[in-house]
Coordinates of all heavy atoms in Angstrom, one line a residue:
A466 N -16.7 12.5 -25.4 CA -16.0 12.7 -26.7 C -15.4 11.4 -27.1 O -15.0 11.2 -28.3 CB -15.0 13.8 -26.5
Q467 N -15.2 10.4 -26.1 CA -14.6 9.1 -26.4 C -15.6 8.0 -26.5 O -15.3 6.8 -26.5 CB -13.5 8.8 -25.4 CG -12.3 9.7 -25.3 CD -11.5 9.6 -26.6 OE1 -11.2 8.5 -27.0 NE2 -11.0 10.8 -27.1
G468 N -16.9 8.4 -26.5 CA -18.0 7.5 -26.6 C -18.4 6.8 -25.3 O -19.1 5.8 -25.3
V469 N -18.0 7.4 -24.2 CA -18.4 6.9 -22.9 C -19.5 7.7 -22.3 O -19.4 9.0 -22.2 CB -17.2 6.8 -21.9 CG1 -17.6 6.3 -20.6 CG2 -16.0 6.0 -22.5
R470 N -20.5 7.1 -21.9 CA -21.7 7.8 -21.2 C -21.5 7.9 -19.7 O -20.9 6.9 -19.1 CB -23.0 7.1 -21.6 CG -23.3 7.1 -23.1 CD -24.4 6.2 -23.5 NE -25.7 6.7 -23.0 CZ -26.9 6.2 -23.3 NH1 -26.9 5.1 -24.0 NH2 -28.0 6.7 -22.9
S471 N -21.9 9.0 -19.1 CA -21.7 9.2 -17.7 C -23.1 9.3 -17.0 O -24.0 10.0 -17.5 CB -20.9 10.4 -17.4 OG -19.6 10.3 -17.9
Y472 N -23.3 8.7 -15.9 CA -24.5 8.8 -15.1 C -24.1 9.1 -13.6 O -23.3 8.4 -13.0 CB -25.3 7.4 -15.1 CG -25.9 7.2 -16.5 CD1 -25.1 6.6 -17.5 CD2 -27.2 7.4 -16.8 CE1 -25.6 6.3 -18.8 CE2 -27.7 7.2 -18.0 CZ -26.9 6.6 -19.0 OH -27.4 6.4 -20.3
L473 N -24.8 10.1 -13.1 CA -24.5 10.5 -11.7 C -25.7 10.3 -10.9 O -26.8 10.9 -11.1 CB -24.2 12.0 -11.7 CG -23.1 12.5 -12.7 CD1 -22.8 14.0 -12.5 CD2 -21.8 11.7 -12.6
V474 N -25.6 9.3 -10.0 CA -26.7 8.9 -9.1 C -26.6 9.8 -7.8 O -25.7 9.6 -7.1 CB -26.7 7.4 -8.8 CG1 -27.9 7.0 -7.9 CG2 -26.8 6.6 -10.1
Q475 N -27.5 10.7 -7.7 CA -27.4 11.7 -6.6 C -28.6 11.7 -5.7 O -29.7 11.3 -6.0 CB -27.4 13.1 -7.3 CG -26.4 13.3 -8.4 CD -25.1 13.8 -7.7 OE1 -25.0 14.2 -6.6 NE2 -24.0 13.7 -8.5
P476 N -28.4 12.1 -4.4 CA -29.5 12.2 -3.5 C -30.6 13.2 -4.0 O -30.2 14.2 -4.6 CB -28.8 12.8 -2.2 CG -27.4 12.3 -2.3 CD -27.1 12.4 -3.8
R477 N -31.8 12.8 -3.9 CA -32.9 13.6 -4.4 C -32.9 15.0 -3.9 O -33.3 15.9 -4.6 CB -34.2 12.9 -4.1 CG -35.4 13.5 -4.8 CD -36.6 12.6 -4.6 NE -36.5 11.3 -5.2 CZ -36.8 11.0 -6.5 NH1 -37.3 12.0 -7.3 NH2 -36.7 9.8 -7.0
E478 N -32.4 15.3 -2.7 CA -32.5 16.6 -2.1 C -31.7 17.6 -2.9 O -32.1 18.8 -2.8 CB -32.0 16.6 -0.7 CG -30.6 16.2 -0.5 CD -30.2 16.0 1.0 OE1 -30.0 17.0 1.7 OE2 -30.0 14.8 1.4
F479 N -30.6 17.2 -3.6 CA -30.0 18.3 -4.4 C -29.7 17.8 -5.8 O -28.9 18.4 -6.5 CB -28.6 18.7 -3.7 CG -27.7 17.5 -3.4 CD1 -26.9 16.9 -4.4 CD2 -27.5 17.1 -2.1 CE1 -26.1 15.8 -4.1 CE2 -26.7 16.0 -1.7 CZ -25.9 15.4 -2.8
F480 N -30.6 16.9 -6.3 CA -30.5 16.4 -7.6 C -30.7 17.6 -8.7 O -30.0 17.6 -9.7 CB -31.6 15.3 -7.8 CG -32.1 15.1 -9.2 CD1 -31.2 14.6 -10.1 CD2 -33.4 15.4 -9.5 CE1 -31.7 14.3 -11.4 CE2 -33.9 15.2 -10.8 CZ -33.0 14.7 -11.8
N481 N -31.6 18.5 -8.4 CA -31.9 19.6 -9.3 C -31.2 20.9 -9.0 O -31.6 21.9 -9.4 CB -33.4 19.9 -9.4 CG -34.1 18.9 -10.3 OD1 -33.6 18.4 -11.3 ND2 -35.3 18.5 -9.8
S482 N -30.1 20.8 -8.2 CA -29.4 22.0 -7.7 C -28.6 22.6 -8.8 O -28.2 22.0 -9.8 CB -28.5 21.7 -6.5 OG -27.5 20.9 -6.9
T483 N -28.3 23.9 -8.7 CA -27.4 24.6 -9.7 C -26.0 23.9 -9.7 O -25.4 23.7 -10.7 CB -27.3 26.1 -9.3 OG1 -28.6 26.7 -9.4 CG2 -26.3 26.8 -10.2
Y484 N -25.5 23.6 -8.5 CA -24.2 23.0 -8.4 C -24.2 21.6 -9.2 O -23.3 21.3 -10.0 CB -23.8 22.7 -7.0 CG -22.5 22.0 -6.9 CD1 -21.3 22.7 -6.9 CD2 -22.4 20.6 -6.7 CE1 -20.1 22.0 -6.8 CE2 -21.2 19.9 -6.6 CZ -20.0 20.7 -6.7 OH -18.8 20.0 -6.6
S485 N -25.2 20.8 -9.0 CA -25.3 19.5 -9.7 C -25.4 19.7 -11.2 O -24.8 18.9 -12.0 CB -26.5 18.7 -9.2 OG -26.3 18.3 -7.8
A486 N -26.2 20.7 -11.6 CA -26.3 21.0 -13.0 C -24.9 21.3 -13.6 O -24.6 20.9 -14.8 CB -27.3 22.1 -13.3
Q487 N -24.1 22.1 -12.9 CA -22.8 22.5 -13.5 C -21.9 21.2 -13.5 O -21.2 21.0 -14.5 CB -22.2 23.5 -12.6 CG -22.8 24.9 -12.8 CD -22.5 25.4 -14.2 OE1 -23.4 25.7 -15.0 NE2 -21.2 25.5 -14.6
M488 N -21.9 20.4 -12.5 CA -21.0 19.3 -12.4 C -21.4 18.2 -13.4 O -20.7 17.4 -13.9 CB -20.9 18.7 -11.0 CG -20.3 19.6 -9.9 SD -18.6 20.1 -10.3 CE -18.9 21.9 -10.7
G489 N -22.8 18.1 -13.7 CA -23.3 17.1 -14.5 C -23.3 17.4 -16.0 O -24.0 16.8 -16.8
D490 N -22.5 18.3 -16.4 CA -22.4 18.7 -17.8 C -22.0 17.4 -18.6 O -21.1 16.7 -18.3 CB -21.3 19.7 -18.0 CG -21.2 20.2 -19.4 OD1 -22.2 20.0 -20.2 OD2 -20.1 20.8 -19.8
S491 N -22.8 17.1 -19.7 CA -22.6 15.9 -20.5 C -22.9 14.6 -19.8 O -22.7 13.6 -20.4 CB -21.2 15.9 -21.1 OG -20.9 17.1 -21.9
A492 N -23.5 14.7 -18.6 CA -23.9 13.4 -17.9 C -25.4 13.5 -17.7 O -26.0 14.5 -17.7 CB -23.1 13.3 -16.6
R493 N -25.9 12.3 -17.4 CA -27.3 12.2 -17.0 C -27.4 12.0 -15.5 O -26.7 11.2 -15.0 CB -28.0 11.0 -17.7 CG -29.5 10.9 -17.3 CD -30.2 9.8 -17.9 NE -31.6 9.6 -17.3 CZ -32.4 8.6 -17.6 NH1 -31.9 7.6 -18.5 NH2 -33.6 8.5 -17.1
M494 N -28.2 12.8 -14.8 CA -28.3 12.7 -13.3 C -29.6 12.0 -13.0 O -30.7 12.2 -13.6 CB -28.3 14.1 -12.7 CG -27.0 14.7 -12.8 SD -26.9 16.4 -12.0 CE -27.9 17.3 -13.1
I495 N -29.5 11.0 -12.0 CA -30.6 10.2 -11.6 C -30.7 10.4 -10.1 O -29.8 10.1 -9.4 CB -30.4 8.8 -12.0 CG1 -30.1 8.6 -13.4 CG2 -31.6 7.9 -11.6 CD1 -29.7 7.2 -13.8
P496 N -31.9 10.7 -9.6 CA -32.1 10.9 -8.1 C -32.4 9.6 -7.4 O -32.9 8.7 -8.0 CB -33.3 11.9 -8.0 CG -34.1 11.5 -9.2 CD -33.1 11.2 -10.3
Y497 N -32.1 9.6 -6.1 CA -32.5 8.5 -5.2 C -32.8 9.0 -3.8 O -32.4 10.1 -3.4 CB -31.4 7.4 -5.2 CG -30.2 7.8 -4.3 CD1 -30.2 7.5 -3.0 CD2 -29.1 8.4 -4.9 CE1 -29.1 7.9 -2.2 CE2 -28.0 8.8 -4.1 CZ -28.0 8.5 -2.7 OH -27.0 8.8 -2.0
L498 N -33.5 8.2 -3.0 CA -33.8 8.6 -1.7 C -33.1 7.7 -0.7 O -32.7 8.2 0.4 CB -35.4 8.3 -1.4 CG -36.3 9.4 -2.0 CD1 -37.8 9.0 -1.8 CD2 -36.0 10.8 -1.2
T499 N -32.9 6.4 -0.9 CA -32.2 5.5 0.0 C -31.1 4.8 -0.6 O -31.0 4.7 -1.9 CB -33.2 4.5 0.5 OG1 -33.5 3.5 -0.5 CG2 -34.5 5.1 1.1

Side-chain angles (χ1 to χ4, degrees):
Q467 297 292 318
V469 179
R470 300 169 70 176
S471 298
Y472 292 81
L473 311 183
V474 180
Q475 303 275 343
R477 189 172 294 273
E478 62 188 287
F479 52 78
F480 156 68
N481 281 322
S482 69
T483 299
Y484 177 85
S485 292
Q487 284 296 120
M488 295 302 109
D490 184 19
S491 301
R493 179 182 173 186
M494 289 182 290
I495 308 174
Y497 75 88
L498 282 173
T499 69

